[in-house]
Amino acid sequence: MQKIRCVVERVTYRNEQNGYTVIKTRVKGYNDLIPIVGNLLDVSVGSVLTVTGDWKIDSKFGRQFVATEWEETLPATVYGIEKYLGSGLIKGVGPKYARKIVEQFGEHALDVIENEPSRLIEVPGIGGRRVEMIRVGWERQKEIKNVMLFLQGHDVSTAHAARIYQAYGNDSIYKVSENPYRLADDIWGIGFKTADLIAEKLGIGKESYPRCRSGLLYTLNKLAEEGHCYALRPQLITKGCELLGSDETLLSMTLDEMVRVRDVIIEKDVIQTPPPANKKANTGELLQTMDAIYLPPFYFSELGIAKKLYALMRSNREHENTEVDKIISSVETASGIRYDDVQLSAIRCAVASKVMVLTGGPGTGKTTTTNSIIRIYKAGGRKILLAAPTGRAAKRLAEASGMEAKTIHRLLEYQPAQGYKINENNQLQGDVLIVDECSMIDVILMYNLLKAVPDHMTLIMVGDIDQLPSIGAGNVLRDIIASEVVPVVKLERIFRQAQGSRIITNAHKINKGEYPNTKNERASDFFFIQEDDPERAATQIFELCSKRLPTAYHFDPITDIQVLSPMQRGVVGAVSLNKELQSILNPTDTMLRYGGTEYRLRDKVMQIRNNYDKEVFNGDIGIITSVNPEERELAVTFDGNTVTYDITELDELTLAYATTIHKAQGSEYPVVVMPVLMTHFVMLQRNLVYTGITRAKKLLILVGAKKALAYAIRNNQVEKRNTRLSERIQEAATKDGTLMRTCDK
């Protein structure tokens, strides 16, 4: 083992999940910067480190120093102090003010900030407001460092330490020591495994009730992330045993106690068929009954949706329209549109029904039909509300209809601290609610929406059930249709104007299990570039985005072109593609570095979690429009809405030159470039490729192997989600046997 003392010049890579970090350092006696690798969780530029480890030769990166232990000391030289302060460690101090502070106080600069911060007023350009900002920033950073030192041995990242401090403040160490498993409940991004590691080092027993409880809750939440509303008891116990290394008896006892105290809700004797979801049960095959274990929000959401849909369908209208055909005729005359039989059926169904579903693929007239329904209701003097689950979907709906459309959260006036202001006690005002992109809505959001719908209101749900299901738990739109209680109109005929788009015709071919037309023709909007090798496929994508498409079609490479990948990892995964596309498309030096990622001015970024305070949501894409190194913050503009992020919040953002197809749900882009290779085979499914293709409005380019595309089309095994919404709707509708569907399917 050797020891070296160094000054950190830059952080070139950091994995926020496991803390693995690569830093470039200046070491006395060496002319070149020395790379150091290892678990260097809280290291920042300018830090002075004493590192214990060994040298090794990496086949790709050459000579490196591998750290096994390290400790930080405050810099002692004027150069080191300036570097340290200018790293962005303290809000209010960037490179410019770091230089001024060091010029004023020299090697005593850190002592002044620590002991006499009021003297900072002596620095030219620093006023009272900035002095206070620096003082608060220094104190906060000290506390975060104390928390970090406590957590350092437990593989907790810098970002998580900052969030722990934000949640618990000066009580952070006490609360974590008292019950580390609370981190999994309270802190976004910290899961059971990290909390469990801390608990182990704090001496908490592996068979303790808090550990077993937290492990089962973690398992249920992981299943919810996969789309399941509940877990079957044997499934939960088995997965819990795998996670915890505990025996079934202990976990079964823990689960019983959790049921008793209502941590979870048990529903007994849920019918399950023995075969897997893709295999049909034989006639007369024995059915099994098992207990279903719910987290309370999902249980009450399923129940609530079913009850509310039933209440809406059986309630009387405040406004009846007896002259539908006359109004349709006048609207046709005024608009110059002649509706076909299916559209007329949809319009009549929408007028006759209290609740209705309108579904269909691209080019089948969903937008035209929706607009027609709006016109009919407007002609009847009805007040119409429009909503969609995402900002982009709401914007598209507004553009198509010429009316205001809101996100569901905005429609319900969601406030993080208070919840939904529009709710069962303060309901929506209007006659008709039309909700687009309903396949994206999970059970909890749908329940909150329905609570706000008064019984007299008509509800029309629009969506494409062949797209990927919601990111959140449930399969709401598909379950509502499967119940066969709610009237459904499915649009299937491709309109003549849409038949000229190979994007649309090929999407429908794929949805039917047919191989698309991949012949490249100059006038086509659908192209396939054959390239089996992932490295060469990636090169093709970079050429397309940076040169060929902007030159040939004059598309903006950042705002118009979107790369969609089936996966995050790999050579043509979103992570790798993003890094290279950023380098090619946006080589600017104006940036903030955080967690090994450079956030540059004019970068395209995506929000990866719902942030109700900022009113930005998972999947929203924006452009970084300002970067302030002094304040350690940047601003992102999402569809005209500008949002500010502190540096500790940047783990909510990821680069979005490339993103996964899952993240692109509900969005449309002028141009989509999509790799399809066998390296993605675990993710290649028909509905995934269909969803990706239908995101493109003007041009689609697939890059990859035809074998991979054929594999995806054949793979139509849609994973079954654990939901009981369809059955609950049926049960609610048949309780008194009076409910009649108001129009044909």
Side-chain angles (χ1 to χ4, degrees), residues 342 359-365 489-495 508 512:
V342 179
T359 186
T364 58
V489 175
K490 186 171 185 179
L491 304 176
E492 295 179 301
R493 184 173 72 85
I494 303 174
F495 279 78
H508 283 274
K512 293 175 184 176

Side-chain angles (χ1 to χ4, degrees), residues 48 104 140 236 299 368 373 408 435 548 574 626 631 663 676:
V48 179
Q104 181 73 28
R140 183 174 181 273
L236 178 58
Y299 177 79
T368 302
I373 292 168
I408 295 172
V435 188
R548 293 172 64 181
S626 72
E631 306 291 344
K663 288 289 190 182
V676 185

Side-chain angles (χ1 to χ4, degrees), residues 611-649:
N611 188 320
Y612 301 106
D613 289 314
K614 299 183 186 295
E615 293 190 349
V616 287
F617 305 98
N618 190 0
D620 286 353
I621 289 180
I623 302 293
I624 297 178
T625 48
S626 72
V627 176
N628 190 331
E630 303 293 336
E631 306 291 344
R632 300 177 72 209
E633 62 186 31
L634 54 78
V636 181
T637 299
F638 300 93
D639 289 325
N641 178 36
T642 299
V643 178
T644 300
Y645 292 81
D646 181 85
I647 196 166
T648 62
E649 300 172 314

Side-chain angles (χ1 to χ4, degrees), residues 31-304:
N31 293 325
D32 297 329
L33 294 180
I34 300 299
I36 299 178
V37 302
N39 196 332
L40 304 155
L41 290 171
D42 194 34
V43 169
S44 48
V45 174
S47 297
V48 179
L49 308 179
T50 300
V51 184
T52 303
D54 285 307
W55 293 97
K56 79 164 188 179
I57 305 296
D58 185 272
S59 59
K60 186 175 181 180
F61 299 106
R63 195 169 187 239
Q64 300 174 327
F65 192 81
V66 182
T68 55
E69 295 180 10
W70 62 277
E71 60 181 12
E72 182 180 357
T73 59
L74 290 175
T77 66
V78 169
Y79 169 82
I81 292 169
E82 183 180 336
K83 195 80 174 174
Y84 184 74
L85 289 175
S87 68
L89 192 69
I90 306 162
K91 189 170 184 177
V93 182
K96 183 177 75 174
Y97 285 109
R99 190 175 304 112
K100 288 184 175 184
I101 291 170
V102 170
E103 285 174 354
Q104 181 73 28
F105 300 115
E107 63 186 21
H108 302 294
L110 295 181
D111 288 333
V112 169
I113 295 174
E114 170 73 26
N115 301 310
E116 300 177 278
S118 59
R119 288 190 60 194
L120 292 169
I121 200 75
E122 301 171 19
V123 179
I126 292 184
R129 178 178 169 274
R130 189 169 297 275
V131 168
E132 180 62 14
M133 187 186 299
I134 295 171
R135 185 192 67 78
V136 171
W138 179 261
E139 290 298 320
R140 183 174 181 273
Q141 189 60 36
K142 279 200 310 182
E143 187 61 36
I144 290 175
K145 280 199 174 284
N146 289 336
V147 174
M148 198 66 239
L149 286 171
F150 171 72
L151 298 173
Q152 187 176 309
H154 310 295
D155 294 335
V156 180
S157 70
T158 305
H160 291 162
R163 292 191 182 279
I164 291 169
Y165 182 76
Q166 287 172 352
Y168 303 145
N170 293 340
D171 294 331
S172 296
I173 293 174
Y174 167 74
K175 288 190 174 183
V176 172
S177 301
E178 180 191 40
N179 179 13
Y181 293 106
R182 70 194 307 159
L183 296 173
D185 298 330
D186 298 345
I187 311 298
W188 178 76
I190 294 184
F192 170 79
K193 292 181 180 179
T194 300
D196 196 38
L197 187 62
I198 298 169
E200 183 182 2
K201 296 196 176 183
L202 291 172
I204 295 175
K206 286 190 173 294
E207 295 187 352
S208 69
Y209 177 79
R211 181 174 187 265
C212 293
R213 173 187 177 273
S214 184
L216 290 174
L217 290 176
Y218 171 81
T219 302
L220 282 170
N221 277 301
K222 292 301 287 185
L223 288 167
E225 289 174 10
E226 296 171 11
H228 301 294
C229 292
Y230 66 85
L232 295 172
R233 186 177 183 117
Q235 176 189 24
L236 178 58
I237 296 295
T238 300
K239 286 185 174 291
C241 288
E242 292 171 0
L243 175 71
L244 298 166
S246 302
D247 63 68
E248 292 186 5
T249 303
L250 178 64
L251 287 192
S252 193
M253 291 170 60
T254 302
L255 183 56
D256 289 340
E257 176 62 15
M258 292 170 69
V259 170
R260 189 187 71 79
V261 300
R262 304 285 284 182
D263 278 339
V264 297
I265 291 172
I266 188 168
E267 190 162 55
K268 293 189 171 292
D269 298 334
V270 172
I271 297 174
Q272 296 288 318
T273 56
N278 62 320
K279 181 184 172 185
K280 291 184 178 178
N282 297 321
T283 304
E285 187 167 23
L286 182 66
L287 299 178
Q288 295 178 311
T289 58
M290 299 181 189
D291 293 345
I293 310 298
Y294 281 85
L295 290 168
F298 302 116
Y299 177 79
F300 290 113
S301 291
E302 279 195 353
L303 279 180

